[in-house]
Amino acid sequence: MTTLKRRSWAEPFKIKMVEPLKMTTKEYRQKALIQAGYNTFLLKSEDVYIDLLTDSGTNAMSEYQWAGMMLGDEAYAGSKNFYHLEEAVQKYYGYKYLVPTHQGRGAENLISQILIKKGDFIPGNMYFTTTRLHQELAGGTFIDVIIDEAHQTEVEHPFKGNIDLQKLDDLIKKVGANKIPYVSVAGTVNMAGGQPISMKNIKQVRELTSKYGIKIIFDATRAIENAYFIKTREDGYQNKAIDEILKEMCSYTDGATMSGKKDLLVNMGGFLALNDYAIFEEARNMVVIYEGLHTYGGLAGRDMEAMARGIEEAVQFDHIRARIGQVEYVGEKLLEFDVPIVRPIGGHAIFLDAKQFFSQIPQIEFPAQTLAAEIYLDSGVRTMERGIVSAGRNKDTGDHYYPKLELVRITFPRRVYTQAHCDVTIESIVETFENRNNIKGLKMIYEPKYLRFFQARFERL
Ligand code: F0G
């Protein structure tokens, strides 16, 4: 007789509407892959069985959110949904001022243009693609000051998203505080494998930056997932509610850029939130040029309503536990089969370590790109490269960046897939792993100028 080791989490919802999926054969997928230049971003979504490309904008909305969509006030100016969203951001994130944007990068563009001068440096806990590009387009240089453990896939550390205070202090001393407009702090660091930052670390970064009069801009895209890790891993937070933890994190920062397409359970939307009136005033002026009037920022009224309602649902403990529980389920199963993944298991995704997975493929033959292509071919599961292709090229030398992490991200949309979908995914990855020695790398045959991972094309070697 076996005994029960633990009780499972389960989804705090049931399914009301379904979206049929197309089942394809391996021959079909082989053709689709060649047409897509071995780039999973270029596949047609209808050719994908289980879409784990991203958790961005792919969430299932609740009946409460859909009901809110019907209450969209589509006025050009002063929509009541804007005021609802503003109130929700003030209540749950704690910032004073809100500028809605069509998605996260719209907010990144505004804050980068407002705060960064040519020649500035922006330290942060690992880069994110769009965030760094906006910082660079504004004339700045991003400097990675995350702890070293974040670059080591096997090292277990509860808060791999932490900032190395010594690295930050050294940079400030080297370039001078007046060259650092802000520190870019992200919750659950995407490129590090969905790894959280601790409350203690954010607080320490605040203390250090306050000494020099440097601001902190928080990438709050997955801050609620970060709050879950603080609650479950950091001393003193076990009995605090997710929304209390979220608000405390934000309280150590001066503003936030937000992609609502992740934590906030919507398909489109974002915002810039600020405490400083002068910066807000400038952002509110500028948003009109790039996004739309300051009370809609590129969003329909109904989108703002769905996002406001999404905040309320996203901070519920049962929701966030099931969301992260699903990711942990997949990660733990892969570990049982010795598949190399980034540890600890991240918040929104499992990250396969493609360098270890395909130890025979050198980084310049794109092991992670190859792995994402192979998984699709095997089962129709779509994942994403997060390695040398995503890292792009150094803007001064034109050389590839060779990131230490060469990963494939298996990302889970919120409230979308079942445990059986997870099992199919696990089986496909395990089978690809068992067959790993027969697989060759890729060569790049087309490279776009910006954010090349979206549109680059490859051929098999
Ligand atoms: N910050 C982080 C940490 C992100 O993960 C993203 C988007 C953004 C900012 C930009 O937000 O897409 O709304 O403009 N990440 C998506 C992903 C694209 O798949 O991880 P956006």
Side-chain angles (χ1 to χ4, degrees), residues 441-452:
L442 297 169
K443 79 168 185 243
M444 204 190 299
I445 54 168
Y446 165 68
E447 179 174 354
K449 195 162 157 213
Y450 297 112
L451 301 176
R452 63 183 183 178

Side-chain angles (χ1 to χ4, degrees), residues 54 103-105 108 128 130 190 219 221-222 259 262 409:
T54 176
Q103 59 184 82
R105 66 199 74 180
E108 291 167 356
F128 183 70
T130 58
N190 193 352
D219 183 337
T221 296
R222 297 183 185 83
S259 171
K262 283 79 164 177
R409 192 180 73 173

Side-chain angles (χ1 to χ4, degrees), residues 41 53-57 101-108 127-131 134 186-191 219-222 257-262 268-270 348 351 384 386 409 411 453-454:
F41 280 103
L53 184 73
T54 176
D55 62 332
S56 182
T101 57
H102 76 284
Q103 59 184 82
R105 66 199 74 180
E108 291 167 356
Y127 83 100
F128 183 70
T129 53
T130 58
T131 321
H134 279 298
T188 49
V189 180
N190 193 352
M191 303 300 270
D219 183 337
T221 296
R222 297 183 185 83
T257 55
M258 180 72 195
S259 171
K261 301 168 72 172
K262 283 79 164 177
M268 188 47 86
H348 63 305
F351 290 73
M384 178 194 294
R386 289 275 92 148
R409 192 180 73 173
T411 332
F453 55 95
F454 284 129

Side-chain angles (χ1 to χ4, degrees), residues 139 263 418 457:
D263 264 357
T418 65
R457 300 184 70 83

